[in-house]
Amino acid sequence: MHIATWNVNSVKARMAIVTNWLQSTQPDVLLLQEIKCETDSFPSFEFEALGYKAYVIGQKSYNGVAILSRHSASDLVYQLPGDSEDAQARYIEATIQGVRIASIYLPNGNPVGADKFTYKLKWMQRLKKHAAELIERENSVVLAGDFNVIPEPIDVYDPKGWEQDALFRPETRAAFREIVNLGYTEAFRALHPDQKDAYTFWDYQAGSWPRNKGLRIDHFLLSPEATDRLISCEIDKNPRDKEKASDHTPVVIELR
DNA sequence: ATGGTTGTTGGACAA
C-alpha cells in the first residue's frame, strides 16, 4: 500500500501537476494540504475520473485538507478533536484498508510571540492528546502532512538562521518530540538516518529551489504496527521542478 | 538583503 502526502498550495492552481503525478505514481492514497478552496468547490470529479474518491474539508481562501483514495474510506473525522470553536480546516481522518490515516496541516505559527504561535502550540497539544488516543485504540495509524516542524538541524539548510522561526523554535521541536515519543516513528528519518539535504519545501523566493535551500517539514508518523509494515519512505523532488510548482513536494511511503 | 515569490482576491494577508 502506497500512501503519499503533498501540500499543494491551492488544489485548483495545481490541478495539472497533481493529476499528472497521480497518473504516473498511482499511490493508493494521496493526502493533500492547503487546498485553499471551500469543500463544495473541490474538483472531486477530475480526481474520480482518475479512480480516486475525494474526502474533503475546506474553507474559503486558506487551509483545507483532503484524502484522495483508490479504496473506500470509512469513519471520517473532519476536525482535530479538542476545540469545537476552532474553525480552521486543518485535519481530516479516515480508515482505509484497515489503516487509520490523517491528513494534517499544522499551523505555521509565525510570527513567534503573537497569537499565531500560541495557536500552533495549543494545536500541537491537541494533536498529542488525540495521537495518544489513536495509538491506544487503533492498530496501524498513519499521521501525515505538513507539520510545519523542522525536527532537527539536519532538516534545514541554515539551522542558525532559522533558530527564531516558529518552525524550528525549541517549544515547537519539543512538542513534536512529545508526539513521536508516544510511540510513533518518523518514517523518513528512521529509514534514512544520515541523509542530509533531504527537504520537502523550498521557498518561492530568493532562488531557494535551484540553490537547494530547503526545509524538511512534511512528515509521516507511524504507530508501531504501521512501522512494522514500513518498506520505504521517499521524497519525490520531481514535481517541485515543474512550471507552476507548489513550494512543497510529495513524500511517499510503502506499507507491506 | 529592512531583498525575494505565489495564491487568493481584488488590498492585504498568509506562507
Side-chain angles (χ1 to χ4, degrees):
Chain A
M1 183 186 201
H2 290 86
I3 307 172
T5 184
W6 195 355
N7 178 324
V8 290
N9 185 19
S10 167
V11 68
K12 290 175 184 173
R14 222 62 65 204
M15 244 359 231
I17 288 177
V18 175
T19 53
N20 285 338
W21 186 84
L22 269 180
Q23 284 178 287
S24 58
T25 308
Q26 300 193 5
D28 294 277
V29 177
L30 173 58
L31 308 173
L32 299 177
Q33 299 88 36
E34 270 206 282
I35 60 173
K36 287 187 167 177
C37 68
E38 294 182 283
T39 306
D40 291 343
S41 68
F42 187 86
S44 299
F45 184 81
E46 287 90 328
F47 290 117
E48 278 168 25
L50 300 178
Y52 291 87
K53 178 143 170 52
Y55 306 86
V56 182
I57 181 70
Q59 67 180 85
K60 191 179 172 70
S61 303
Y62 305 118
N63 309 321
V65 290
I67 299 175
L68 305 182
S69 178
R70 302 171 72 98
H71 318 284
S72 67
S74 63
D75 302 298
L76 270 287
V77 168
Y78 292 95
Q79 61 177 347
L80 180 63
D83 183 2
S84 53
E85 304 287 285
D86 186 358
Q88 297 193 29
R90 296 181 174 275
Y91 190 92
I92 185 169
E93 177 190 311
T95 297
I96 300 169
Q97 294 198 315
V99 184
R100 194 67 181 156
I101 303 175
S103 178
I104 293 173
Y105 179 44
L106 207 144
N108 176 296
N110 282 303
V112 172
D115 290 348
K116 291 195 175 179
F117 192 56
T118 308
Y119 174 66
K120 177 178 195 158
L121 294 178
K122 281 186 176 167
W123 208 95
M124 293 184 83
Q125 286 310 117
R126 280 166 65 198
L127 181 60
K128 179 188 174 186
K129 184 165 188 286
H130 187 56
E133 290 170 5
L134 283 176
I135 210 168
E136 189 70 26
R137 189 185 87 207
E138 305 278 349
N139 294 315
S140 289
V141 181
V142 174
L143 307 178
D146 177 2
F147 280 74
N148 270 313
V149 176
I150 301 164
E152 299 293 336
I154 193 177
D155 299 312
V156 50
Y157 67 93
D158 175 18
K160 206 78 186 159
W162 282 77
E163 249 170 18
Q164 299 308 316
D165 193 277
L167 280 63
F168 197 47
R169 287 280 298 185
E171 304 93 313
T172 304
R173 295 174 60 196
F176 184 76
R177 285 196 302 271
E178 285 180 24
I179 296 169
V180 171
N181 289 341
L182 294 168
Y184 287 90
T185 296
E186 197 258 277
F188 183 87
R189 195 51 79 196
L191 293 178
H192 309 282
D194 302 317
Q195 191 171 322
K196 296 177 181 173
D197 301 320
Y199 305 130
T200 64
F201 165 91
W202 299 258
D203 200 293
Y204 286 125
Q205 305 179 75
S208 298
W209 167 247
R211 296 169 188 203
N212 197 29
K213 293 183 177 302
L215 315 173
R216 196 174 68 86
I217 56 177
D218 299 87
H219 307 298
F220 278 89
L221 301 189
L222 273 52
S223 69
E225 184 176 298
T227 304
D228 287 342
R229 296 170 58 182
L230 180 62
I231 294 170
S232 65
C233 177
E234 302 296 337
I235 300 166
D236 183 354
K237 290 169 72 171
N238 292 308
R240 186 61 182 81
D241 204 39
K242 307 283 189 201
E243 284 294 318
K244 294 262 294 172
S246 169
D247 40 7
H248 296 249
T249 211
V251 186
V252 187
I253 63 166
E254 183 179 6
L255 302 181
R256 70 180 96 250

